């Protein structure tokens, strides 16, 4: 998945700011009473928007490359989060600044590694591998035998995905695993930022810093490879669909549905990515790839469904 959608599918969930995955503005002590239809529809629409945005963004790869598309996404994410978070820059202390800076670096690395993986191995497999980040945090925080079994199931899915073949793109698979490590780091840093910086100010500041880091990259790409109107439109659409829409929908959803239910819906993202990749990009998966995706999704879903409320 990418940086816009950001709740760890864990027994102990955490938020990831709008990347391709934001800190919820809702009261952390407030527990949603139920799962209304509006919340379910919003979660489904958010996941579909996120993966559709990633697929549309990949259409600009031939002109802008993965790096150029990610740069545009960072700009869009910064605009959205700054409008909502409105950080008070001068009030930040040293203890607040260092996790914000690290979050900004991980934010950019996460999206860049994911989009580079999408460019090489396709949307479905890249998002599935990235999904291992929050899943690993979820399972490592537990001592239940059920979660140990879930970890083994997920591991089997990864081994199947990475089995040696003449056509195996190990660089693409490695980029997907790097995106997973970045997402895991993102979750842990987001927890730290959320504890030290009030509201969404920390996430907004990190998004802005990340956008500044990508500004020289965007200028160089624009000069060397002037974007066509179509490519620019694809990249901007990716930013809106995979950053703005998921972030705003999560603000709505996390006030209305239990965190466990939200995490369960996050499990569907690798499947949505595979389906969207097939429909929009013509990227089909073989039965072994589908089995691997299913194993990883099932491991996460089983962990959440059997966890204590």
């Amino acid at each position: 998945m990418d940086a816009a959608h950001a709740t760890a599918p864990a027994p102990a969930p955490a938020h990831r700011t709008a990347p391709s995955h934001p800190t919820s503005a809702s009261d952390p002590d407030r527990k949603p009473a139920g799962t209304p239809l509006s919340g379910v529809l919003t979660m489904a629409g958010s996941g579909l928007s996120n993966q559709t945005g990633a697929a549309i963004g990949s259409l600009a790869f031939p002109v802008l490359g993965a790096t150029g598309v990610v740069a545009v996404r960072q700009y869009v994410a910064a605009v959205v989060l700054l409008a909502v978070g409105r950080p008070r820059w001068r009030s930040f202390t040293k203890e607040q600044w260092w996790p914000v800076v690290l979050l900004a670096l991980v934010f950019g690395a996460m999206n860049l590694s994911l989009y580079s993986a999408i460019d090489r191995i396709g949307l479905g497999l890249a998002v599935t591998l990235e999904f291992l980040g929050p899943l690993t945090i979820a399972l490592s925080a537990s001592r239940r035998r059920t979660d140990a079994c879930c970890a083994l199931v997920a591991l089997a899915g990864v081994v199947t995905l990475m089995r040696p073949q003449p056509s195996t793109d190990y660089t693409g698979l490695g980029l997907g695993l790097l995106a997973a490590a970045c997402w895991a780091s993102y979750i842990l840093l987001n927890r730290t930022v959320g504890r030290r910086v009030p509201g969404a100010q920390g996430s907004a500041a990190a998004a802005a810093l990340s956008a500044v880091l990508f500004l020289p990259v965007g200028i160089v790409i624009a000069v060397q490879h002037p974007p066509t109107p179509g490519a620019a439109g694809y990249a901007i659409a990716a930013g809106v669909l995979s950053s703005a829409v998921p972030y705003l929908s999560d603000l709505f959803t996390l006030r209305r549905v239990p965190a466990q239910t939200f995490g369960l819906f996050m499990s569907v993202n690798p499947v949505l990515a595979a389906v969207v990749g097939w429909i929009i990009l013509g990227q089909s998966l073989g039965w072994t790839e589908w089995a691997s995706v299913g194993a990883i999704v099932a491991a996460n879903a089983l962990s959440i469904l059997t966890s204590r409320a």
Side-chain angles (χ1 to χ4, degrees):
M1 167 169 230
D2 61 282
H5 239 113
T7 298
H15 304 303
R16 169 176 127 178
T17 56
S20 75
H21 317 335
T23 302
S24 173
S26 60
D27 184 351
D29 297 325
R30 178 183 176 185
K31 295 183 178 181
T35 308
L37 180 60
S38 59
V40 173
L41 294 176
T42 302
M43 286 187 291
S46 176
L48 186 60
S49 173
N50 195 14
Q51 305 309 330
T52 301
I56 291 176
S58 69
L59 296 176
F61 286 172
V63 178
L64 299 177
T67 304
V69 174
V70 170
V72 175
R73 277 209 51 194
Q74 301 302 96
Y75 307 152
V76 174
V79 170
V80 173
L81 283 169
L82 284 174
V84 177
R86 298 180 180 180
R88 297 181 178 88
W89 303 93
R90 295 182 179 180
S91 67
F92 284 12
T93 65
K94 180 181 179 181
E95 288 71 22
Q96 292 173 321
W97 267 118
W98 78 258
V100 167
V101 171
L102 289 178
L103 187 62
L105 294 174
V106 171
F107 188 10
M110 177 175 59
N111 284 331
L112 184 57
S113 56
L114 174 63
Y115 270 56
S116 297
I118 291 173
D119 192 26
R120 299 183 69 98
I121 62 176
L123 181 62
L125 296 186
V127 171
T128 299
L129 289 174
E130 187 204 26
F131 191 70
L132 293 172
L135 179 58
T136 299
I137 288 183
L139 297 180
S140 63
S142 174
R143 297 295 180 267
R144 299 184 307 146
R145 292 182 179 179
T146 301
D147 287 333
C149 293
C150 291
L152 290 175
V153 171
L155 179 60
V158 175
V159 171
T160 303
L161 277 179
M162 302 187 72
R163 68 195 188 284
Q165 286 186 340
S167 60
T168 299
D169 189 332
Y170 290 106
T171 300
L173 295 175
L175 288 167
L177 293 177
L178 176 59
C182 288
W183 191 355
S185 301
Y186 199 96
I187 291 169
L188 298 176
L189 284 168
N190 228 2
R191 289 175 177 173
T192 301
V193 170
R195 287 193 297 264
R196 298 186 183 184
V197 185
Q201 292 186 55
S203 298
L209 289 177
S210 184
V212 170
L213 291 175
F214 271 88
L215 189 57
V217 176
I219 293 174
V220 170
I221 292 176
V223 171
Q224 294 183 347
H225 306 282
T228 62
Y234 288 144
I236 293 172
V240 173
L241 293 175
S242 293
S243 292
V245 172
Y247 174 74
L248 296 175
S249 67
D250 286 355
L251 289 180
F252 173 86
T253 303
L254 289 169
R255 292 189 178 100
R256 290 165 174 79
V257 302
Q260 186 183 52
T261 304
F262 186 86
L264 188 61
F265 262 77
M266 287 288 290
S267 304
V268 181
N269 273 279
V271 176
L272 286 175
V275 173
V276 169
W278 171 57
I279 294 175
I280 296 181
L281 304 176
Q283 298 172 345
S284 59
L285 301 181
W287 71 269
T288 52
E289 285 82 7
W290 272 114
S292 300
V293 171
I296 294 171
V297 168
N300 181 75
L302 180 61
S303 176
I304 292 175
L305 289 173
T306 59
S307 66
R308 294 188 183 95

